[in-house]
Amino acid sequence: MPQHARTTRVCRDCDGFPIVAITTGTRHTDGTRTTLRVTCSTCQGTGHTAAPAIGLVRFGK
């Protein structure tokens, strides 16, 4: 019997790359570059978004 894998939604803002390193242009004394780690503010560094709630919405009376 086939197993169905649950697919998680990839964040639309970071496209699944939630943490990036940005170089500042300066170097440390040992010659390595100075970098900043920045996380995606939409998914808070997980790379996935929450699936929308499935349900019925009732309008009117």
Side-chain angles (χ1 to χ4, degrees), residues 2 5-7 11-12 14-16 18 20 23 25 27-28 30-31 34 39-41 45 47-49 52 59-61:
R6 182 177 176 172
T7 57
C11 177
R12 65 184 171 138
C14 66
D15 201 26
V20 295
T23 60
R27 295 185 182 264
H28 293 287
D30 63 352
T34 305
T39 59
C40 176
S41 60
H48 304 287
T49 57
F59 290 99
K61 293 183 180 180

Side-chain angles (χ1 to χ4, degrees), residues 28-39:
H28 293 287
T29 56
D30 63 352
T32 58
R33 294 190 181 267
T34 305
T35 58
L36 300 172
R37 291 178 52 118
V38 181
T39 59

Side-chain angles (χ1 to χ4, degrees), residues 41-58:
S41 60
T42 303
C43 65
Q44 281 81 34
T46 62
H48 304 287
T49 57
I54 299 173
L56 300 174
V57 178
R58 184 175 178 180

